[in-house]
Amino acid sequence: MKKYASLFAAVFLLGACHNRIDFGPNEGVSYRDAQNQPMGPSDPSDWAQDGQWNSKEVALFRKDLSSVNVNAGQTPYVSGISFFPNPVQSTAGSLTFLPTSADGRLHTVFVDRKYNVITRADQAVPTGGRYGVTMQFSLPTDKFKNKEIYRLYYVFYAPDGTLRSKGHGDVKIAR
């Protein structure tokens, strides 16, 4: 009986860990100021191309992007992705990036540490100048709680549904 209790506890703990986001060491946030300049710790897993997503991550896009295989191979479509300011001290933040072309779309999903969807959006990638594109995100106080960390998942895809690039980044709220 004791053996089964230990086995059950191990399975439960593994399942519970899979249902919560591990933001990484030192909060897992890449700190940037209001001018998008680095200002502290940086998480190398943030704002970079992700490999295979787990089932919870894939499910975030299944309904809205059913024609896009989010675990397909990626093409070098964007560079220089960052979110600023981070931590966010108001009700807005900006995602900036440099796309290789403007004929794509961007689908974003903000989630809390338990993968609960806070907001989602889908929009055309605007034409960027040589400095890239900056897109503003509203982070209202009724959805984004102070002193919490959220994850922004993003998928860049072509009009025909081809995956171009995907990734994630963690955003801290510090109002």
Side-chain angles (χ1 to χ4, degrees):
M1 186 68 158
K2 199 173 190 182
K3 180 170 78 172
Y4 291 116
S6 296
L7 181 61
F8 176 76
V11 169
F12 177 76
L13 286 174
L14 285 174
C17 291
H18 187 64
N19 290 325
R20 293 180 62 86
I21 293 174
D22 176 7
F23 292 111
N26 301 321
E27 299 179 306
V29 174
S30 294
Y31 282 70
R32 299 189 81 80
D33 68 15
Q35 286 74 44
N36 197 24
Q37 297 301 309
M39 62 171 212
S42 183
D43 181 349
S45 74
D46 282 358
W47 318 113
Q49 277 192 344
D50 284 349
Q52 294 291 303
W53 277 348
N54 66 42
S55 60
K56 289 250 184 220
E57 294 167 323
V58 170
L60 295 171
F61 295 90
R62 188 168 289 130
K63 179 181 173 192
D64 296 330
L65 292 181
S66 60
S67 64
V68 178
N69 177 356
V70 296
N71 273 335
Q74 301 173 63
T75 59
Y77 176 70
V78 294
S79 62
I81 301 173
S82 61
F83 192 93
F84 70 98
N86 198 3
V88 175
Q89 297 174 340
S90 66
T91 57
S94 297
L95 181 71
T96 186
F97 54 90
L98 183 60
T100 58
S101 68
D103 67 337
R105 296 197 61 81
L106 169 63
H107 193 86
T108 57
V109 180
F110 266 105
V111 298
D112 65 14
R113 66 179 61 251
K114 294 182 181 177
Y115 291 98
N116 294 312
V117 173
I118 307 302
T119 63
R120 60 176 68 241
D122 192 277
Q123 52 202 342
V125 173
T127 303
R130 66 181 179 169
Y131 300 110
V133 172
T134 300
M135 301 173 89
Q136 184 120 4
F137 286 83
S138 176
L139 307 169
T141 58
D142 63 325
K143 293 182 179 183
F144 292 86
K145 306 300 180 205
N146 190 29
K147 298 182 181 170
E148 290 291 329
I149 298 173
Y150 297 89
R151 177 156 289 173
L152 174 60
Y153 285 100
Y154 53 88
V155 171
F156 290 94
Y157 64 101
D160 68 0
T162 302
L163 176 67
R164 289 193 165 154
S165 184
K166 70 176 184 193
H168 76 274
D170 301 325
V171 176
K172 181 178 180 179
I173 305 299
R175 296 185 178 116

